[in-house]
Amino acid sequence: MQSEAASGIVLIASAAIALAIANSNLAPTYFRTLETYVAGLSILHWINDALMALFFLLIGLEIKREFLDGELGSWSRRILPGIAAFGGMVVPALIYVTMNAGTPVNLRGWAIPTATDIAFALGVLALLGPRVPVSLKVFLMALAIIDDLGAVTIIAFFYTEGLATTWLVISLLIVALLYGLNRARITALTPYLLLGSMLWFAVHESGVHATLAGVALAFMIPLRPTPGKPDDVTSPLHILEHRLQPWVAYLVVPLFGFANAGVALSGVSFGDASMEVPLGIAAGLFIGKQLGVFSFSWLAIRLGWADCPRDASLMQLYGVSALCGIGFTMSLFIGLLGFPGTPELQDGVKLGVLSGSILSALLGTIILVFAQPERQSAARATS
């Protein structure tokens, strides 16, 4: 239950259940419940704006820990996953834009296929067991962390509209207070969390997506580096991360998947599924991700900028690159931001994300099942 890979399996199950319900006699109840208003917001809104702020808080904590005290703690460790993540964002976006260039409104979804779902991808790797070298699992996790940082940046700069200046100023003042707590070496979590709650409300009212308040709060939580002691949980950041992880992994993310993966397939024809938005997303995830991640990784290795992950063959690296096309959680989230108030386009997003992610999971699994590790490949070549 402490494994992030296990949470990926739970996420897969929640998405499958949502699809089944959305295409059953329970569909009207499912959609009506999500649209029910509680305290001024719909249940779906509470899940996507409030609960997902906890997801982004955890993402922010992981990014900060990995960069200051983890696998991304030095430039030498950041080079290969960083280059791979860059390729994995640029190529899918270009594919999507190319396929939707004739419909300007569709271009708002350009960032949807740029994301990798770390829990989903690690869940697939967990099913493969020892067939995959540990170095590739670390590579995938590091790449996904950088990918998440890119997604957060994209959301902040490209999916923010109609700013309310007063609330934005209040948000910045709260961030300044959080920074002051950090600089004063305040280690108690309570004042950070209280200010963080206020920050969420202010950001929500400012027009910036409220979930980004979670990232801003995470970056202000104190961290005391613990070289050689990755399990040390004495720093406030480590403590909060360990407390949040099971709640986010086994409640927030599965609930988000359950609330957003349900799409009624009745009446969807081949022509509908071939529209630019779902096809562009599916192609971006399935083709663009593996092409971008692997080609940029191969080029970095070939030029001597980075080493191939230890005990891993290029074919195994390609298999993991294919798994990067699983973009479930963050891709769905960006899709909701890209096409607000347009159910038909949001359904297209869901179809594209689900199909692209499933195809990527299947291809990556097949490649990794049959690919040989570097040591076996070298031994066979010698004989």
Side-chain angles (χ1 to χ4, degrees):
M1 293 293 289
Q2 295 298 320
S3 170
E4 194 162 8
S7 68
I9 298 172
V10 175
L11 174 59
I12 295 170
S14 68
I17 293 171
L19 271 175
I21 292 178
N23 292 277
S24 72
N25 294 332
L26 295 174
T29 303
Y30 169 79
F31 291 110
R32 186 169 57 251
T33 301
L34 292 175
E35 294 168 1
T36 301
Y37 273 71
V38 177
L41 297 176
S42 68
I43 290 177
L44 183 62
H45 198 164
W46 278 114
I47 293 171
N48 292 345
D49 278 24
L51 284 183
M52 283 299 283
L54 297 177
F55 168 78
F56 277 85
L57 172 58
L58 183 62
I59 290 294
L61 294 172
E62 290 178 345
I63 291 173
K64 182 172 180 177
R65 173 177 52 78
E66 290 294 342
F67 271 81
L68 298 182
D69 193 33
E71 292 297 330
L72 301 173
S74 64
W75 283 108
S76 60
R77 292 181 177 181
R78 298 170 191 165
I79 291 175
L80 185 60
I83 292 175
F86 179 76
M89 287 186 278
V90 170
V91 178
L94 289 176
I95 289 178
Y96 179 90
V97 169
T98 300
M99 298 182 70
N100 287 270
T103 311
V105 67
N106 292 355
L107 294 179
R108 281 189 55 83
W110 66 270
I112 297 171
T114 64
T116 296
D117 192 300
I118 183 170
F120 206 143
L122 288 177
V124 174
L125 282 187
L127 298 176
L128 295 171
R131 289 187 181 92
V132 182
V134 174
S135 61
L136 277 181
K137 296 177 183 179
V138 173
F139 168 76
L140 176 60
M141 183 173 292
L143 185 153
I145 290 291
I146 297 174
D147 200 290
D148 284 338
L149 180 59
V152 169
T153 304
I154 288 171
I155 292 171
F157 283 95
F158 296 99
Y159 292 97
T160 295
E161 295 180 351
L163 292 178
T165 306
T166 300
W167 284 107
L168 185 60
V169 171
I170 293 174
S171 302
L172 294 175
L173 289 175
I174 296 173
V175 171
L177 289 174
L178 287 166
Y179 178 75
L181 290 178
N182 184 297
R183 297 298 296 174
R185 302 184 182 277
I186 304 298
T187 58
L189 284 171
T190 301
Y192 291 96
L193 297 179
L194 288 175
L195 285 173
S197 301
M198 297 167 59
L199 178 63
W200 178 87
F201 182 78
V203 171
H204 182 273
E205 296 298 314
S206 73
V208 178
H209 200 274
T211 52
L212 294 181
V215 179
L217 172 61
F219 287 170
M220 298 303 163
I221 301 295
L223 168 66
R224 181 173 61 255
T226 53
K229 297 180 180 180
D231 296 326
D232 184 273
V233 291
T234 58
S235 290
L237 186 145
H238 290 98
I239 294 171
L240 184 57
E241 183 180 0
H242 278 259
R243 289 178 180 175
L244 272 179
Q245 199 276 334
W247 290 100
V248 171
Y250 297 106
L251 177 63
V252 174
V253 172
L255 193 57
F256 173 84
F258 178 78
N260 291 280
V263 54
L265 299 177
S266 59
V268 175
S269 67
F270 179 79
D272 293 331
S274 300
M275 292 188 303
E276 292 101 331
V277 168
L279 191 58
I281 293 171
L285 288 172
F286 180 58
I287 299 173
K289 270 292 186 179
Q290 59 177 284
L291 181 62
V293 171
F294 182 74
S295 62
F296 276 62
S297 299
W298 177 85
L299 186 62
I301 294 170
R302 188 67 182 242
L303 293 176
W305 296 349
D307 295 327
C308 187
R310 186 175 181 179
D311 297 330
S313 64
L314 284 177
M315 185 56 68
Q316 288 180 314
L317 181 61
Y318 179 58
V320 170
S321 300
L323 289 183
C324 289
I326 302 173
F328 191 79
T329 306
M330 196 69 81
S331 292
L332 285 177
F333 189 83
I334 294 175
L336 295 174
L337 298 180
F339 302 115
T342 50
E344 63 281 358
L345 287 178
Q346 290 184 0
D347 284 347
V349 169
K350 295 174 184 179
L351 285 174
V353 171
L354 289 171
S355 56
S357 297
I358 291 171
L359 289 172
S360 298
L362 290 174
L363 178 63
T365 300
I366 292 171
I367 293 173
L368 290 171
V369 164
F370 292 100
Q372 294 182 340
E374 183 62 28
R375 286 175 295 185
Q376 292 184 15
S377 301
R380 179 166 291 188
T382 303
S383 61

